[in-house]
C-alpha cells in the first residue's frame, strides 16, 4: 500500500488558483441556500425544519434542512440492512471501483466543495481545500485497503485441510460525524463502511448538513446503491435514536468526549431483537500538549505553535492546547508568542491570509469566552490582543500563562483559540504531566537532541506525536490518525488497520481428504 | 507572455555561436588558472577536503550539520558534547558502513558528555570547530565590527554587499528591529566607505551595498495573500530606500523561497514606482534561475520598473526546500530538477539581462566558472558585476579582480546564533553533488566543466 498518493493540495501561492476559488464562491453563493432532505433508500423527504448558516455572517443561510424523525431512523436502518448483502456480494474490487469513481466526482468539483466548507463551517480556504483532499484520500485509500483485505491470507496450511480467512461486512454502520471536518471525516467513516460491504446511515452534525449532502450525492452519483447510503440530518436526538437502534452493528463516531461516552454506554445495551454486539469506533477530544525543550529552535517553534493552536480558531481535535516549555527559554518564547499573536488576522474565512476565522456557533463562542474569563478570575496573565469583526461568532486568540495548578483552563478541552503556556524544569517533568493526563490524542515535541526525541516518543501515550513541527494536519496513509485513553478507541483513520473495525473475520476449514487421499 | 524586447543599445555584430563558445572556453580557462594561482592556505585545503569527505557520507553530513544547527542553543560545553554524542549515535545507526569511525567518535563524545573530566573539553573542541566554520563565512558580529574586513576587501579590489543575519521575524518588534539594524548599517558603512581610496573599476556604482530580506521586514508573509505582507513591509522598506538614497548607498532586495516570491517582486515594483524613488536611487532585486517561471518574473520586472535597476542573477539557494515542499503537497516542482536545466536557464537569463542594459544593471552571482565565462563572453564591454560568496568564492574573487573585473563579495554580518541557518545552507550547498566547487576539488576535467550545458 506504499503506492498510495495523497490528493495534491491546491497551490494557493499562485494567484490564478486563488482566482478560481473566488469564482467558485461566487457561483456557490448564487445557489444558496441549499435544501438538505432526509434521504432513505434513495427517497427524499424535503420538509425543512431547521437551517445551517455561515458562522461569520449568521444572517446568511447556507441550507434549509429537514430533520429526521424516529420513523426515518428506523426506515434508514432497514434500508441499509436490506441493501447491504447485495452490495457486499459485489466484491471488494467492484466496490472499490465505485468509491474511486466517487473520489473522481469530488475531484471534479473540488473548488465548489471547498467553498461550501468555507461558507457552512467558517474554514479558511487552505483548510477547506485540505478537507476536500482528505475526503478524496479516504475514498481512494479505503478502496485500495478493501481490496488488500479481501486478498489477505495469513493462515497456516497443512496437508488434508484448507483454511480460509475471510472478512465479512458486519451489516449496518451508523456514522455520526462532526462539523469541523465536515467533508472528510463523515466521508471517511462512510467510505470505510461501504468499502467493506456494509450498508451505511449517515447522521451529520447539525451545523454542516450541506457538506454531508454533497458527500452523499457524490457516492450515489458514482454508483453506490441508493439504499446502501442513507442520510439523516438532524440534531442530537437523531444520532441518539440511530445509535440505539437494534439494527445497527457498527457505530463510527467523531465528536465530543461526552457524546462518545454516551454512545459507548448505549451501544453496550442489547435491545430486544438484537442478535449481535455493537462495535464502536470513537474519535473524541484531546487536551494536546506541545513540549518545548531548551535546545529548540524558537524560530520554528513560534510559528508552529501559533498555527497548531489558532489555525481554524483551534477547532481541531488535534489542536495544541498547552505548551510545556523548558524554563530556560520560557520567557523568551512567551514574549515572541505574544508578538506573533499580535500579528494574527482575525477575519472571515473566505479572506485569503486569514489566520483566525469565526468559531462555529454562538454557544461555542460563549463557552470559549467562559474559559478566558476563568483565566482572568484565577489571576492568570491573559494575552488576547485582537479585535474581532462585529458580526459573526468570533473569538480573539489568547495566550495564557500563570494559571494555577488544576485550572479547568489546563484540564478541559476548550476547542477554541486558547493556548495555555506552562514553564517546566525539564523535559522529564513535561513528560510526567502528559503521561498523567486522561487524554492521549496528539502531542508535540521540539528538541534537537535525537536521544531526547527517542526517550519522549517512547514515554508519551498519545496517538499521534509530531516532532519539530506543527501538530495538526495528519495525512491519510502517512499519519494514520486517532487517539488513546479517553481520546478514543485507539483506532487509526487513514491507517492500514482501520477497515478491520468494520468487518468480522470468519474462518472456514475444509477437510480435503477423500477416501484417505488428499484431493 | 511578454515578447522579449530587442536590446535598446545597438548590439555589436553578434558573434556566431561557435565563436561565443570558443570565447567562453578561453575565459573559463583564464579564470580557473587564476583561481588555482590564488594560493590556497593549508587550513583551507584541509577544510575543503573535510567538506568533500562530508559530501561522500550523508549520515555524517547530516549529523554534523545538525550539530552546527543546534550549537548556539546549547547551554554549555557539556550540553554541546551530549548533543554531539546523540547525533553521532544516530548517524551510526543510519549508516552502517561508516559505523566504525562513527562508533568510535560517538563513544568518545558520549563518554565526554557524561564523564567529569573530558566532557567540557570535547564540547569546547566542537564549539570551536563550529565557531571556526562560522567565521569563515561571516565577516563580523555587526557592521562596525565588519568594517576592517570590508576595507580590506576594497583594498584587494573587491566591493561588498552586506547581509545582516538574524533570527526569523515573527513579531512586529522583530521587524522593526531588523529595519533599524539595516538603517544603521547603511549609515555606518556609508561613513566608513568615504575614507576608502578611489577604485575606478568599482566606483561606477555606490560603494556601500546592503542586501535586505523582506521576510525579516514583516511577520506577515503569507504565500496565499501577498498583499498583506506588502502592506506591512512597505513602510519599512520605504524607509530603507530613503536612507539608501540619502547616504548614496545601493539597497538590494534578496529573494528567498516561493512563499515570498510574489510578495517581494510586487513590493519592489510598487516602491520603485513611487515618485521619490524614480531618480537618484540605486536599488535592485534578485532573479533565481532555477525557477521554471523565472522568465515570466523577469518580464514582470522589466514591465513594472521604469528606471534603471540592478538584477542579481543567482541559481537559487532553496532547491531542497522547494522540491521537498512540492513533493509533500503534491505540486509540480517550481524549480528545475536537473542541474543542466538550471544552468541553461541561467545562461538564457544572462543573455536576456545583458540585452536589457542599460535599463537593467547586471550582476552575475555564481561560482560556476562556465556561467561566469559565458556572461563575460556575451559582454565584451565588461559592463557587468560579478558576485561571489564570502568564504566559498574567495579564490574566485581573487581570480576575477586580477582580471580587472568588477567583483562584489556577499558578506553576512551577525552573531553566531543568527548565523547558523545561513551557515548550514552554505555548507549544504557546498557539499551537494551538484556543486561546481566540489566537482573541481574532485578533479573533474576542466573542459567538461566548461562545456555548454
Amino acid at each position: 500500500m506504499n503506492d498510495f498518493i495523497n490528493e495534491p493540495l491546491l497551490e494557493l501561492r499562485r494567484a490564478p488558483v486563488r482566482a478560481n476559488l473566488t469564482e467558485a464562491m461566487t457561483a456557490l453563493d448564487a445557489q444558496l441556500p441549499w435544501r438538505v432532505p432526509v434521504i432513505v433508500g434513495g427517497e427524499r423527504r424535503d420538509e425543512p425544519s431547521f437551517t445551517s448558516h455561515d458562522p461569520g455572517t449568521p444572517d446568511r443561510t447556507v441550507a434549509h434542512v429537514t430533520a429526521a424523525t424516529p420513523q426515518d431512523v428506523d426506515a434508514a436502518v432497514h434500508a441499509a440492512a436490506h441493501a447491504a448483502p447485495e452490495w457486499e456480494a459485489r466484491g471488494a474490487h467492484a466496490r472499490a471501483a465505485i468509491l474511486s469513481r466517487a473520489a473522481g466526482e469530488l475531484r471534479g468539483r473540488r473548488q465548489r466543495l471547498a467553498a461550501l466548507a468555507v461558507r457552512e463551517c467558517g474554514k479558511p480556504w487552505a483548510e477547506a481545500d485540505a478537507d476536500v483532499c482528505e475526503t478524496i484520500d479516504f475514498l481512494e485509500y479505503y478502496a485500495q485497503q478493501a481490496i488488500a483485505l479481501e486478498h489477505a491470507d495469513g493462515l497456516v496450511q497443512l496437508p488434508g485441510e484448507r483454511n480460509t480467512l475471510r472478512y465479512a461486512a458486519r451489516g449496518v454502520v451508523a456514522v455520526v460525524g462532526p462539523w469541523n471536518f465536515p467533508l472528510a471525516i463523515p466521508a471517511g467513516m462512510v467510505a470505510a463502511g461501504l468499502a467493506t460491504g456494509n450498508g451505511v446511515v449517515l447522521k451529520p452534525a447539525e451545523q454542516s448538513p450541506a457538506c454531508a449532502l454533497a458527500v452523499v450525492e457524490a457516492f450515489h452519483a458514482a454508483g453506490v446503491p441508493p439504499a446502501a447510503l442513507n442520510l439523516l440530518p438532524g440534531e442530537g436526538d437523531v444520532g441518539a435514536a440511530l445509535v440505539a437502534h437494534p439494527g445497527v452493528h457498527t457505530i463510527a463516531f467523531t465528536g465530543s468526549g461526552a457524546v462518545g461516552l454516551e454512545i459507548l454506554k448505549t451501544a453496550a445495551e442489547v435491545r430486544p431483537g438484537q442478535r449481535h454486539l455493537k462495535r464502536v469506533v470513537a474519535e473524541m477530544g484531546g487536551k494536546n500538549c506541545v513540549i518545548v525543550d531548551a535546545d529548540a529552535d524558537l524560530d520554528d517553534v513560534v510559528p508552529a505553535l501559533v498555527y497548531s493552536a489558532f489555525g481554524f480558531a483551534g477547532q481541531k481535535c488535534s489542536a495544541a492546547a498547552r505548551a510545556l516549555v523548558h524554563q530556560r527559554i520560557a520567557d523568551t518564547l512567551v514574549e515572541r508568542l505574544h508578538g506573533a499573536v499580535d500579528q494574527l488576522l482575525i477575519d472571515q474565512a473566505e479572506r485569503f491570509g486569514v489566520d483566525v476565522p469565526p468559531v462555529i456557533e454562538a454557544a461555542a463562542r460563549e463557552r470559549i469566552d467562559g474559559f478566558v474569563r476563568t483565566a482572568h478570575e484565577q489571576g492568570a496573565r491573559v494575552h488576547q490582543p485582537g479585535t474581532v469583526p462585529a458580526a459573526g461568532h468570533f473569538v480573539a486568540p489568547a495566550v495564557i500563562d500563570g494559571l494555577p495548578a488544576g485550572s479547568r483552563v489546563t484540564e478541559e478541552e476548550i476547542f477554541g483559540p486558547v493556548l495555555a503556556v506552562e514553564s517546566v524544569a525539564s523535559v522529564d517533568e513535561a513528560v510526567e504531566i502528559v503521561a498523567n493526563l486522561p487524554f492521549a490524542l496528539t502531542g508535540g515535541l521540539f528538541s534537537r537532541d535525537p536521544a531526547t526525541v527517542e526517550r519522549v516518543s517512547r514515554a508519551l501515550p498519545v496517538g499521534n506525536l509530531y516532532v519539530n513541527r506543527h501538530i495538526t494536519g495528519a495525512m491519510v496513509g502517512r499519519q494514520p490518525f486517532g487517539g488513546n485513553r479517553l481520546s478514543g478507541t485507539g483506532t487509526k483513520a487513514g491507517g492500514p488497520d482501520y477497515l478491520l473495525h468494520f468487518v468480522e473475520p470468519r474462518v472456514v476449514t475444509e477437510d480435503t481428504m477423500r477416501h484417505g487421499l488428499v484431493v | 507572455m511578454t515578447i522579449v524586447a530587442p536590446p535598446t543599445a545597438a548590439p555589436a555584430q553578434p558573434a556566431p555561436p561557435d565563436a561565443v563558445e570558443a570565447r567562453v572556453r578561453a575565459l573559463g580557462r583564464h579564470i580557473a588558472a587564476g583561481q588555482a594561482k590564488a594560493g590556497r592556505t593549508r587550513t583551507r585545503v584541509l577544510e575543503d577536503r573535510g567538506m568533500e569527505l562530508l559530501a561522500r557520507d550523508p549520515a555524517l553530513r547530516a549529523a554534523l550539520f545538525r550539530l552546527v544547527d543546534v550549537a548556539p542553543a546549547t547551554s554549555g560545553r557539556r550540553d554541546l558534547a551530549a548533543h554531539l554524542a546523540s547525533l553521532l549515535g544516530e548517524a551510526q545507526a543510519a549508516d552502517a558502513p561508516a559505523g566504525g569511525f562513527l562508533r568510535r567518535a560517538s563513544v568518545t563524545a558520549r563518554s565526554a558528555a557524561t564523564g567529569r573530566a573530558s566532557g567540557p573539553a570535547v564540547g569546547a573542541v566542537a564549539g570551536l570547530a563550529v565557531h571556526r566554520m562560522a567565521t569563515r563565512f561571516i565577516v563580523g558580529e555587526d557592521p562596525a565590527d565588519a568594517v576592517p574586513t570590508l576595507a580590506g576587501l576594497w583594498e584587494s579590489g573587491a566591493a561588498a554587499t552586506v547581509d545582516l543575519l538574524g533570527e526569523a521575524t515573527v513579531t512586529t518588534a522583530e521587524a522593526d528591529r531588523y529595519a533599524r539594524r539595516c538603517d544603521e548599517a547603511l549609515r555606518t558603512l556609508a561613513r566608513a566607505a568615504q575614507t576608502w581610496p578611489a577604485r575606478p573599476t568599482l566606483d561606477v556604482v555606490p560603494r556601500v551595498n546592503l542586501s535586505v530580506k523582506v521576510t525579516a521586514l514583516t511577520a506577515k508573509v503569507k504565500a496565499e495573500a501577498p498583499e498583506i505582507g506588502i502592506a506591512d513591509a512597505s513602510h519599512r522598506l520605504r524607509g530603507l530606500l530613503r536612507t539608501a538614497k540619502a547616504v548614496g548607498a545601493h539597497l538590494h532586495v534578496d529573494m528567498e523561497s516561493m512563499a515570498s516570491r510574489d510578495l517581494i517582486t510586487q513590493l519592489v515594483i510598487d516602491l520603485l514606482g513611487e515618485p521619490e524613488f524614480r531618480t537618484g536611487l540605486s536599488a535592485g532585486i534578485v532573479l533565481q534561475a532555477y525557477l521554471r517561471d523565472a522568465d515570466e518574473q523577469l518580464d514582470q520586472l522589466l514591465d513594472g520598473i521604469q528606471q534603471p535597476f540592478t538584477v542579481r542573477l543567482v541559481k537559487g539557494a532553496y532547491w531542497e526546500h522547494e522540491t521537498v515542499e512540492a513533493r509533500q503537497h503534491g505540486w509540480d516542482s517550481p524549480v528545475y530538477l536537473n542541474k543542466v536545466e538550471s544552468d541553461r536557464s541561467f545562461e538564457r537569463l544572462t543573455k536576456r539581462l545583458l540585452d536589457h542594459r542599460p535599463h537593467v544593471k547586471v550582476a552575475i552571482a555564481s561560482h560556476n566558472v562556465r556561467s561566469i565565462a559565458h556572461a563575460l563572453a556575451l559582454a565584451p564591454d565588461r559592463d557587468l558585476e560579478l558576485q561571489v560568496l564570502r568564504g566559498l568564492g574567495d579564490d574566485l574573487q581573487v581570480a576575477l579582480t586580477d582580471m580587472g573585473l568588477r567583483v562584489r563579495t556577499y558578506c553576512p554580518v551577525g552573531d553566531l546564533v543568527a548565523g547558523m541557518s545561513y551557515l548550514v545552507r552554505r555548507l549544504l550547498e557546498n557539499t551537494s553533488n551538484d556543486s561546481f566547487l566540489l566537482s573541481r576539488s574532485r578533479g573533474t576535467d576542466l573542459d567538461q566543466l566548461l562545456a555548454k550545458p
Side-chain angles (χ1 to χ4, degrees):
Chain A
M1 213 43 59
N2 292 325
D3 55 352
F4 172 79
I5 294 171
N6 299 101
E7 184 67 13
L9 298 167
L10 288 179
E11 203 175 346
L12 294 180
R13 62 190 182 181
R14 307 267 183 195
V17 176
R18 301 195 291 272
N20 279 342
L21 290 174
T22 308
E23 263 176 48
M25 182 60 90
T26 308
L28 175 72
D29 279 345
Q31 285 188 349
L32 293 183
W34 280 16
R35 294 175 78 96
V36 180
V38 169
I39 307 178
V40 174
E43 298 293 319
R44 296 180 168 226
R45 189 172 69 75
D46 185 17
E47 297 157 24
S49 55
F50 70 104
T51 57
S52 73
H53 27 232
D54 178 350
T57 314
D59 295 348
R60 189 199 323 259
T61 300
V62 175
H64 291 288
V65 194
T66 307
T69 61
Q71 293 75 23
D72 291 328
V73 173
D74 189 54
V77 173
H78 279 105
H82 188 72
E86 187 274 328
W87 172 242
E88 187 188 13
R90 295 190 191 190
H93 284 276
R95 295 193 303 268
I98 288 174
L99 290 194
S100 195
R101 205 177 307 142
E105 291 279 337
L106 296 166
R107 207 177 275 123
R109 46 186 140 121
R110 58 182 290 176
Q111 278 87 0
R112 180 73 61 94
L113 286 168
L116 186 60
V118 171
R119 273 285 174 262
E120 196 170 44
C121 300
K123 286 202 116 169
W125 281 114
E127 314 267 358
D129 173 56
D131 201 355
V132 175
C133 289
E134 192 178 8
T135 309
I136 295 168
D137 285 350
F138 275 133
L139 269 56
E140 299 278 19
Y141 184 78
Y142 292 146
Q144 289 185 23
Q145 291 286 331
I147 292 171
L149 198 61
E150 190 167 78
H151 296 288
D153 178 20
L155 302 185
V156 174
Q157 308 289 351
L158 290 182
E161 68 181 26
R162 180 160 53 235
N163 299 311
T164 316
L165 171 62
R166 193 170 68 80
Y167 292 100
R170 301 191 76 241
V172 174
V173 178
V175 173
V176 181
W179 51 264
N180 65 337
F181 287 80
L183 301 162
I185 294 182
M189 296 189 291
V190 166
L194 290 174
T196 43
N198 295 277
V200 177
V201 181
L202 168 60
K203 193 298 212 186
E206 63 267 27
Q207 296 88 347
S208 58
C211 287
L213 176 65
V215 167
V216 168
E217 286 181 339
F219 279 111
H220 283 157
V224 170
L229 174 56
N230 305 275
L231 178 65
L232 299 180
E235 308 218 5
D237 57 318
V238 177
L242 177 61
V243 166
H245 196 287
V248 166
H249 297 81
T250 307
I251 299 153
F253 166 76
T254 303
S256 74
V259 175
L261 291 177
E262 198 57 45
I263 288 177
L264 282 158
K265 216 189 299 174
T266 306
E269 200 178 315
V270 178
R271 317 242 157 192
Q274 180 181 332
R275 295 166 304 184
H276 58 271
L277 302 174
K278 291 182 185 175
R279 186 182 291 171
V280 180
V281 176
E283 189 55 64
M284 301 183 283
K287 188 72 185 180
N288 308 309
C289 300
V290 177
I291 300 173
V292 185
D293 199 0
D295 69 351
D297 188 343
L298 297 189
D299 285 358
D300 295 337
V301 175
V302 175
L305 259 183
V306 166
Y307 179 69
S308 301
F310 306 126
F312 190 30
Q315 303 173 106
K316 302 179 191 176
C317 19
S318 54
R322 297 170 75 177
L324 307 171
V325 185
H326 194 290
Q327 58 192 13
R328 203 169 90 210
I329 53 162
D331 289 347
T332 313
L333 178 59
V334 168
E335 188 193 333
R336 295 188 78 187
L337 260 182
H338 283 185
V341 171
D342 295 343
Q343 304 284 315
L344 294 178
L345 178 60
I346 310 162
D347 207 343
Q348 298 295 344
E350 70 190 278
R351 177 168 174 192
F352 287 105
V354 72
D355 295 297
V356 185
V359 298
I360 190 70
E361 57 196 0
R365 185 186 57 208
E366 283 153 23
R367 188 191 68 240
I368 300 160
D369 286 346
F371 278 99
V372 175
R373 254 196 323 277
T374 300
H376 280 293
E377 286 160 11
Q378 292 180 333
R381 177 168 58 157
V382 178
H383 184 75
Q384 192 179 27
T387 48
V388 299
H393 312 305
F394 288 90
V395 179
V399 173
I400 301 175
D401 66 329
L403 284 159
S407 164
R408 75 183 188 105
V409 180
T410 51
E411 303 296 310
E412 295 172 25
E413 184 176 37
I414 299 174
F415 221 67
V418 178
L419 178 69
V421 183
E422 297 147 77
S423 172
V424 292
S426 67
V427 163
D428 294 313
E429 185 189 327
V431 167
E432 183 83 9
I433 290 172
V434 179
N436 285 322
L437 290 175
F439 296 109
L441 185 47
T442 67
L445 169 66
F446 282 88
S447 162
R448 284 186 280 185
D449 183 341
T452 304
V453 173
E454 171 69 16
R455 192 172 80 248
V456 174
S457 306
R458 284 183 185 283
L460 295 187
V462 298
N464 289 70
L465 177 67
Y466 297 92
V467 179
N468 292 329
R469 56 158 278 183
H470 57 94
I471 69 165
T472 58
M475 300 292 285
V476 170
R478 279 154 64 189
Q479 291 104 23
F481 184 80
N484 305 317
R485 296 193 176 170
L486 293 184
S487 291
T489 46
T491 50
K492 288 290 188 190
D497 50 11
Y498 188 68
L499 293 188
L500 290 174
H501 307 295
F502 295 81
V503 291
E504 55 187 31
R506 297 181 191 166
V507 172
V508 176
T509 300
E510 187 181 351
D511 189 335
T512 59
M513 299 284 285
R514 291 288 183 277
H515 309 293
L517 298 170
V518 177
V519 294
Chain B
M1 173 126 84
T2 317
I3 308 276
V4 177
T8 44
Q13 196 62 30
D18 289 353
V20 171
E21 278 305 306
R23 276 219 303 272
V24 170
R25 274 166 199 262
L27 283 159
R29 285 200 199 92
H30 194 145
I31 296 167
Q35 266 181 299
K37 208 180 80 191
R40 297 160 63 80
T41 64
R42 197 178 139 67
T43 40
R44 179 60 56 80
V45 170
L46 279 175
E47 274 179 31
D48 288 351
R49 197 162 293 162
M51 282 199 197
E52 217 227 301
L53 200 71
L54 283 183
R56 288 179 194 278
D57 187 339
L60 186 61
R61 177 174 177 249
L64 291 187
F65 289 171
R66 290 174 70 184
L67 180 73
V68 169
D69 174 60
V70 75
T74 52
S75 62
R77 291 161 179 183
R78 192 181 293 276
D79 191 18
L80 185 61
H83 278 81
L84 179 60
S86 51
L87 286 165
L88 287 174
E90 197 181 59
Q92 180 191 328
D95 189 2
F101 165 72
L102 286 172
R103 194 173 316 114
R104 285 195 299 282
S106 161
V107 167
T108 309
R110 191 170 301 124
S111 66
T114 49
R116 288 189 172 278
S118 58
V122 170
V125 170
L128 268 177
V130 171
H131 185 75
R132 160 114 190 77
M133 271 198 278
T135 53
R136 172 171 166 183
F137 298 95
I138 300 170
V139 297
E141 292 219 346
D142 59 46
D145 186 33
V147 162
T149 308
L150 302 178
L153 271 176
W154 183 265
E155 192 66 34
S156 70
T161 181
V162 167
D163 161 37
L164 298 181
L165 301 171
E167 60 188 359
T169 292
V170 297
T171 69
T172 300
E174 288 161 356
D176 287 338
R177 199 177 311 137
Y178 177 73
R180 207 160 48 238
R181 284 172 63 213
C182 288
D183 193 85
E184 284 163 12
L186 283 168
R187 295 173 196 279
T188 303
L189 297 174
R191 253 193 321 273
Q194 278 173 358
T195 63
W196 297 349
R199 286 270 172 203
T201 319
L202 303 178
D203 274 331
V204 293
V205 291
R207 290 180 170 187
V208 172
N209 184 312
L210 183 72
S211 292
V212 299
K213 300 256 187 302
V214 172
T215 57
L217 287 173
T218 170
K220 293 184 177 174
V221 175
K222 296 165 185 222
E224 62 172 50
E227 68 281 0
I228 292 174
I230 290 172
D232 192 61
S234 281
H235 70 281
R236 296 191 189 91
L237 187 56
R238 189 181 294 117
L240 293 179
L241 289 168
R242 276 183 193 146
T243 303
K245 184 174 172 178
V247 303
H250 174 91
L251 195 74
H252 209 87
V253 178
D254 274 352
M255 202 54 87
E256 298 163 73
S257 73
M258 278 296 285
S260 55
R261 199 271 307 262
D262 288 358
L263 185 173
I264 294 171
T265 306
Q266 195 55 50
L267 173 65
V268 168
I269 289 172
D270 288 354
L271 287 179
L272 294 188
E274 293 181 357
E276 63 177 305
F277 299 129
R278 289 297 185 92
T279 56
L281 168 72
S282 180
I285 191 168
V286 172
L287 189 62
Q288 296 160 310
Y290 68 6
L291 291 178
R292 293 175 193 272
D293 62 356
D295 277 287
E296 282 91 329
Q297 191 196 352
L298 178 55
D299 292 340
Q300 197 187 344
L301 292 168
L302 292 171
D303 287 348
I305 302 174
Q306 304 310 312
Q307 68 271 41
F309 66 105
T310 305
V311 173
R312 176 198 299 152
L313 179 63
V314 301
K315 183 175 165 188
Y318 295 79
W319 190 87
E320 288 205 350
H321 170 86
E322 303 293 5
T323 48
V324 165
E325 185 182 46
R327 182 85 199 281
Q328 290 192 351
H329 293 142
W331 298 336
D332 290 337
S333 169
V335 296
Y336 291 114
L337 297 180
N338 298 319
K339 173 178 154 32
V340 66
E341 290 175 299
S342 286
D343 288 345
R344 274 188 211 133
S345 167
F346 198 98
E347 296 198 357
R348 187 176 66 247
L349 292 164
T350 297
K351 176 149 190 344
R352 285 194 64 194
L353 290 170
L354 290 169
D355 287 348
H356 277 90
R357 293 176 299 171
H359 183 198
V360 172
K361 299 177 186 174
V362 183
I364 300 295
S366 173
H367 293 166
N368 183 325
V369 175
R370 157 80 202 186
S371 301
I372 299 168
H374 171 260
L376 289 170
L378 293 184
D381 59 5
R382 296 183 162 198
D383 179 19
L384 81 172
E385 189 169 285
L386 300 169
Q387 298 194 355
V388 299
L389 291 170
R390 168 75 178 182
L392 280 181
D394 300 350
D395 298 338
L396 187 57
Q397 171 199 311
V398 172
L400 296 173
T401 52
D402 282 353
M403 290 166 73
L405 295 161
R406 178 146 54 95
V407 180
R408 189 176 303 282
T409 303
Y410 191 93
C411 293
V413 165
D415 65 19
L416 200 62
V417 177
M420 279 312 135
S421 66
Y422 176 82
L423 186 57
V424 170
R425 187 177 302 289
R426 290 285 91 86
L427 287 171
L428 281 169
E429 207 171 282
N430 198 36
T431 55
S432 88
N433 280 325
D434 278 350
S435 160
F436 186 90
L437 294 170
L438 191 65
S439 306
R440 277 293 276 157
S441 74
R442 282 175 176 172
T444 307
D445 177 57
L446 185 59
D447 278 341
Q448 199 184 321
L449 292 173
L450 291 175
K452 190 177 167 69

